[in-house]
Amino acid sequence: MHLLLLNGPNLNLLGQREPGLYGRQTLDQIETSLCERACADGLTLECFQSNFEGALVDRIHQAMGKVDGILINAGAYTHTSIAIRDALLGTAIPYVELHLSNTHAREPFRHRSFLADRAVGVICGFGPVSYDLALDGLVRHLRNSASGGKS
Ligand code: DQA
């Protein structure tokens, strides 16, 4: 099973950016640990981060037919981007939306997501552990679908 982790704008600053909210782990550390978890479970995981909406849209298009599932922390684009929503729906790749912080406990403009209603699921508020939980949830969903929903 081949998976893709997408991170949106400002997530390259993890470790330095508002550590009280987002923790001290860098994106590189989060990606390395998630790749190790994926690998231990016989999966492959590719990681991509961009501060540009179009680059994220392009990466989603490239995943079509090659990737079984997407984990996405779209950062602020979660709350604004119809283009990323359309790319995810257009490729029909199952995805899990995730956030380090609990976006529902923050400013009202972070309560809206353009991705959530069509996601397999949404995980938020667990810091870097949100990535682990999102991976587990997505893999269980994909394995369950592959076995015809029997497990
Ligand atoms: C975030 C939450 C978003 O509202 C914010 O714009 C981010 C990070 C999170 O992981 O908690 O950039 O996606």
Side-chain angles (χ1 to χ4, degrees), residues 67-85:
V67 162
D68 300 298
I70 293 177
L71 301 163
I72 181 163
N73 182 352
Y77 288 145
T78 306
H79 320 299
T80 62
S81 181
I82 297 169
I84 292 176
R85 175 192 176 86

Side-chain angles (χ1 to χ4, degrees), residues 49-95:
Q49 187 276 332
S50 180
N51 295 320
F52 297 93
E53 188 176 26
L56 291 161
V57 168
D58 281 346
R59 190 63 193 82
I60 294 166
H61 291 177
Q62 283 164 22
M64 202 168 177
K66 297 183 192 127
V67 162
D68 300 298
I70 293 177
L71 301 163
I72 181 163
N73 182 352
Y77 288 145
T78 306
H79 320 299
T80 62
S81 181
I82 297 169
I84 292 176
R85 175 192 176 86
D86 285 349
L88 289 164
L89 301 191
T91 56
I93 301 171
Y95 64 93

Side-chain angles (χ1 to χ4, degrees), residues 9 11 17 22 73 75-76 78-79 98-101 103 106 110:
L11 292 162
R17 174 192 183 200
Y22 298 120
N73 182 352
T78 306
H79 320 299
L98 75 105
H99 303 281
L100 294 133
S101 64
T103 50
R106 299 181 62 191
R110 293 186 206 274

Side-chain angles (χ1 to χ4, degrees), residues 9-76:
N10 300 306
L11 292 162
N12 54 312
L13 295 182
L14 284 180
Q16 297 164 296
R17 174 192 183 200
E18 299 181 84
L21 254 181
Y22 298 120
R24 295 246 169 232
Q25 280 197 46
T26 64
L27 183 58
D28 195 43
Q29 288 168 335
I30 291 172
E31 287 178 347
T32 302
S33 138
L34 204 69
C35 282
E36 282 169 7
R37 282 175 67 92
C39 191
D41 201 10
L43 314 160
T44 52
L45 178 71
E46 235 179 296
C47 303
F48 180 78
Q49 187 276 332
S50 180
N51 295 320
F52 297 93
E53 188 176 26
L56 291 161
V57 168
D58 281 346
R59 190 63 193 82
I60 294 166
H61 291 177
Q62 283 164 22
M64 202 168 177
K66 297 183 192 127
V67 162
D68 300 298
I70 293 177
L71 301 163
I72 181 163
N73 182 352

